[in-house]
Amino acid sequence: MTKALDLLREHLKEHNLHGILIPHNDCYFGEYLVEGDERIAFLTNFTGSAGFLIVTSSQAVLFVDGRYTLQATHQVDQNIVTLKTLGEESTWFKNYEKHDQAFAYDPWCFSESSLRPFKTQSSQFVLKSVVDEIWENRPKHPEKSLFLHPIEFSGKEAKEKIHEIKEVLQEKNIEATVLSPESWSWMLNVRGSDLFYTPISQGFCFVTQSKIILFLHTTQQQPDVIAYLNELGVEIVSISHIKKTLESYATLRFGYDSQTTPLSIKEIFEVTIPMVDPCALPRATKNTTEIAGAIFAHKKDARAWMRFRSRLEDKYKKGEPITEMDIDQMLLEERQKEAGFVSPSFATIAGSGPNGAIVHYRADEKSNRMILKDEILLIDSGAQYKDGTTDITRTIILGKPTPEMKRDFTRVLKGHIGIASAKFPKGTSGGQLDTLARIHLWKDHKDFAHGTGHGVGSFLSVHEGPQRISKFGHHPLLPGMILSNEPGYYLEGQYGIRIESLVYVKEDRENWYTFETLTLVPIDEKLIDWDLLNKEEKCWVESYQKNARAITP
């Protein structure tokens, strides 16, 4: 880490630069990166999926959110890198900067929205990918081909989706736009394998009324994919030619999403019009086929979980040693037995005892703990099936919980039930529901430092917008949206508790909505303090447990 930062500072000095802004994202602004885009990890050893790094001639400051506070303290040398809270980076920068200091930033990794908070009259900004220039033996981008996502899973033909997107552009008097990987994968009904957890190929899709160009890291595709894309009128071009190709369309009225369009692309066009990604909302509001697929995927996931839980209990009763990494492997093995399984949907979190209090913990050879009797075990895992994406957290105990454990768990459970059983009028946002998940914890002066729920894709990203349940969730919840319901509580150094199921929004009656729970995995009743539940909550638990246990392993 010291060597990389020293080399970076030498390079900045050679180019008369005082510092550099480094976000945790690539040019596609997705959650997961290929190894060669993990710039913050290269410089600091921090491997979380969110963060922001500012390096100057004398300081290195890493900003992380509540999910990664403990992880960052374990991974980062705080004698070299100062840790701060994510969200405070622009304020820190404005307080730090001085007149005429030049800062570098990579315009492929910043959008108009993400750079705006740093724009001031004092500092100069230089478009330069400094980190990539000093990264020797930087891993190359994978070159993998696309595969088809047929109508039996997508529920709508790509031709129809393309027509609808072009209609949106025409209505807004926009002649061209560029789509991100999740969006064009959805629109074209294709998927890929560039990323381990998200079934997409990275690249950009340029759309006009008469042309669709797909810029990919490899133009080598399977014959069935080539024939399919040719029929749709899609041309494949190497991503290395994107700038030169788009420059020939620079006079078109270009619509861009201010949050996800790289500045390097936006600045090519002469007339630019801000807009929301036209695929975002139709992608988020799943059709009946996608909802049916999600239901089926969760039944398969429940079967896999029950087989895993049976194996876990059997090993425990026999006195066999079990580690956190064993949990990960057993879950993978059971999911692989289910039809249509492709990959995990994210890195499994199996946190025993104090490791469970690290919100986005992942066991490695150094941290791997034995699963001990009477310790809480938090398991957050998910899968990508061809018919749907899953994400589930269950908190269990192999032994006997303390009264405090049961109280904390039941407070979290009450919040989970509050979201699961909510009824709300049309126009309600996730931000308006978030308190339902926290109010019972607040009674004990406790809370959790992450959102209550995120959107989930359909055999796409396990985290997608615009829907979410959090104090920042402002978009109205609409029928067909899939979200997580995951309140938690984390007692540093002792244990973590989270109860997460996926739900989808459905109509309850005219202009009123409710949630239907997709996840069908039993809740550990040993951790419930039944005296803290009211009659309606007890009925909810009994009904849920009955439905979950009806799934045959």
Side-chain angles (χ1 to χ4, degrees), residues 17 43 71 78 110 114 207 251 286 293 295 336 413 424 551:
L17 294 167
L43 292 168
Q71 178 179 331
Q78 294 180 70
F110 276 90
S114 61
V207 181
T251 58
K286 313 297 186 286
I295 292 170
Q336 287 173 331
L413 176 59
F424 47 94
I551 301 295

Side-chain angles (χ1 to χ4, degrees), residues 494-505:
Q494 295 191 43
Y495 55 78
I497 295 167
R498 187 161 64 249
I499 305 170
E500 177 186 17
S501 296
L502 296 193
V503 300
Y504 69 92
V505 182

Side-chain angles (χ1 to χ4, degrees), residues 208-443:
T208 74
Q209 290 297 330
S210 60
K211 185 174 284 291
I212 300 178
I213 304 175
L214 199 52
F215 295 97
L216 298 175
H217 290 269
T218 177
T219 57
Q220 302 299 312
Q221 301 295 328
Q222 297 298 320
D224 63 332
V225 174
I226 293 290
Y228 172 77
L229 293 177
N230 284 342
E231 186 180 346
L232 292 176
V234 178
E235 178 185 356
I236 298 177
V237 175
S238 170
I239 192 115
S240 61
H241 300 313
I242 185 170
K243 189 173 185 295
K244 183 178 179 180
T245 303
L246 293 185
E247 283 173 347
S248 64
Y249 297 94
T251 58
L252 296 182
R253 291 170 57 84
F254 180 72
Y256 71 98
D257 189 310
S258 64
Q259 296 185 351
T260 61
T261 303
L263 287 170
S264 284
I265 289 179
K266 172 183 178 287
E267 291 170 357
I268 290 173
F269 295 88
E270 297 173 10
V271 179
T272 57
I273 304 160
M275 65 179 293
V276 175
D277 177 347
C279 295
L281 194 56
R283 188 178 80 231
T285 50
K286 313 297 186 286
N287 59 46
T288 55
T289 299
E290 290 170 318
I291 291 296
I295 292 170
F296 188 42
H298 281 83
K299 288 180 179 178
K300 291 189 286 189
D301 218 41
R303 289 198 298 263
W305 173 274
M306 289 179 186
R307 292 193 301 268
F308 151 75
R309 185 68 193 271
S310 178
R311 286 177 61 184
L312 179 64
E313 293 285 353
D314 187 52
K315 284 178 175 289
Y316 171 69
K317 290 174 182 177
K318 291 179 180 178
E320 296 180 12
I322 311 164
T323 68
E324 294 168 334
M325 293 179 74
D326 291 335
I327 300 289
D328 188 357
Q329 183 61 31
M330 284 192 289
L331 275 166
L332 177 60
E333 289 170 357
E334 295 306 328
R335 285 183 167 124
Q336 287 173 331
K337 296 174 184 177
E338 295 294 333
F341 173 82
V342 175
S343 72
S345 55
F346 58 94
T348 294
I349 299 166
S352 174
N355 285 346
I358 304 172
V359 180
H360 273 207
Y361 168 76
R362 185 181 184 186
D364 56 29
E365 295 292 345
K366 184 177 179 180
S367 69
N368 193 26
R369 290 184 83 247
M370 297 291 295
I371 310 303
L372 302 178
K373 181 183 179 182
D374 302 336
E375 279 192 342
I376 280 180
L377 173 61
L378 186 155
I379 306 173
D380 187 351
S381 67
Q384 295 285 5
Y385 299 98
K386 290 182 178 180
D387 31 25
T389 301
T390 71
D391 181 1
I392 170 183
T393 307
R394 287 295 180 264
T395 305
I396 64 177
I397 189 164
L398 299 176
K400 186 178 180 180
T402 65
E404 183 183 16
M405 289 176 179
K406 294 178 69 173
R407 183 177 181 86
D408 289 340
F409 181 90
T410 308
R411 289 294 194 194
V412 173
L413 176 59
K414 288 169 75 72
H416 181 89
I417 295 170
I419 295 293
S421 56
K423 298 183 188 299
F424 47 94
K426 181 180 179 180
T428 299
S429 68
Q432 292 172 281
L433 299 180
D434 186 63
T435 303
L436 296 175
R438 302 175 188 270
I439 193 167
H440 302 287
L441 282 165
W442 289 350
K443 291 175 182 178

Side-chain angles (χ1 to χ4, degrees), residues 28 30-31 180-187 198 200 283 460-461:
Y28 307 111
E31 180 177 6
S180 65
E182 286 87 353
S183 287
W184 62 255
S185 295
W186 170 85
M187 182 183 74
T198 307
I200 57 172
R283 188 178 80 231
L460 276 173
S461 176

Side-chain angles (χ1 to χ4, degrees), residues 146-161:
L146 301 172
F147 58 91
L148 304 181
H149 187 59
I151 191 72
E152 65 185 283
F153 300 126
S154 67
K156 182 182 282 190
E157 296 285 1
K159 287 182 179 179
E160 187 177 352
K161 294 180 182 180

